[in-house]
Amino acid sequence: MNPPHPSTPDWVIYTPDSPVRRPGPFLAAMLRDLAASRGLAWRLFVRDLSAMYRQSVLGYVWAFVPPILAALPWMILNRENILTVGDTPVPYPAFVLAGTLLWQTFIDALNAPLKQTTAARGMLARIQFPREALVLAGLAETAWNFLIRLLLLIPVLALADVPLAPSLLWAPLGIASLLLLGTAIGLVITPVGLLYTDIGRAIPIVATFGMLLTPVVYPPRPEGWVGWLATWNPVSPVLVTTRDWLTAQPPQLLAGFGWVTLAALAVFLAAWFAYRLAMPMIVERMGG
């Protein structure tokens, strides 16, 4: 897609040349569309937020339900000594609630690109607009849900006597890295997920299995195959380091956090590039 001529700002010119042959203009168009999509992304976010709670009696309470339901069984099992997870640096309710909250945020970020793009199927075929608006709207909704859930975590940390430490200032960086990692993976699977509904159905199953393979409800261990997964599972260093910052603990996997964040940024840029290339063909196929 060529940039519009100044005298004809509303015209879009399509050419048979592949944008890959001219990565510079293509990258410039990506950045231009990202900037232009902010207003539409905000409108989509507000619309989706209103629709989510319009006919709900409990309203924002539903934002708390997933992490509570994910954490509660582990609290009960640990309290009754049915399952021993080992020593945790802070009281277990605060530890497991922080872990499940961060895991749910990662899963929300992973789901958001496919969820938003699938919901906009009808609009994609009829209206030309920056597709980045869908990604930004999904990110905004994920960040909003995290902030709502944070209201639940703060009193739990206070009841657990977790002090307010300077490490809290690093927590936003951890959250941003978690959102970046989830969105990068979400962008990778979105083009395939639009064509095959199996992807959307498989995500909750894989997410449940992935939670057990990530130190969400138990502390990371250096030995055994669980320790190997904690080291090489890309979510582990980001989630564990962010939880350490939230609970005023020294970060255990800081080096892994840095490497995974850099890798997530590279994957995000590549996936964004592929998303831009694939969307016109996918929209054409969906329209056919």
Side-chain angles (χ1 to χ4, degrees), residues 159-224:
L159 289 172
D161 291 330
V162 175
L164 293 175
S167 66
L168 275 173
L169 298 175
W170 291 102
L173 176 63
I175 300 301
S177 178
L178 206 59
L179 291 175
L180 178 66
L181 179 60
T183 304
I185 299 174
L187 273 178
V188 169
I189 64 176
T190 292
V192 183
L194 286 171
L195 297 176
Y196 305 103
T197 57
D198 308 76
I199 300 297
R201 293 174 181 173
I203 288 177
I205 301 172
V206 175
T208 302
F209 190 61
M211 179 179 166
L212 297 177
L213 298 180
T214 307
V216 176
V217 297
Y218 54 85
R221 299 173 180 175
E223 70 281 352

Side-chain angles (χ1 to χ4, degrees), residues 60-69 147-152:
Y60 293 112
V61 172
W62 288 111
F64 301 124
V65 171
I68 291 177
L69 288 183
L147 292 174
I148 294 292
R149 291 166 188 156
L150 196 60
L151 298 177
L152 173 69

Side-chain angles (χ1 to χ4, degrees), residues 218-245:
Y218 54 85
R221 299 173 180 175
E223 70 281 352
W225 65 275
V226 176
W228 185 88
L229 284 172
T231 303
W232 294 104
N233 177 350
V235 187
S236 295
V238 180
L239 187 145
V240 170
T241 301
T242 307
R243 180 172 54 195
D244 288 340
W245 282 333

Side-chain angles (χ1 to χ4, degrees), residues 254-288:
L254 188 58
F257 173 85
W259 285 115
V260 170
T261 300
L262 290 176
L265 180 60
V267 172
F268 174 80
L269 293 175
W272 182 17
F273 200 89
Y275 178 79
R276 292 270 304 197
L277 288 174
M279 282 307 294
M281 293 178 279
I282 292 174
V283 170
E284 183 181 357
R285 180 166 174 173
M286 289 191 303

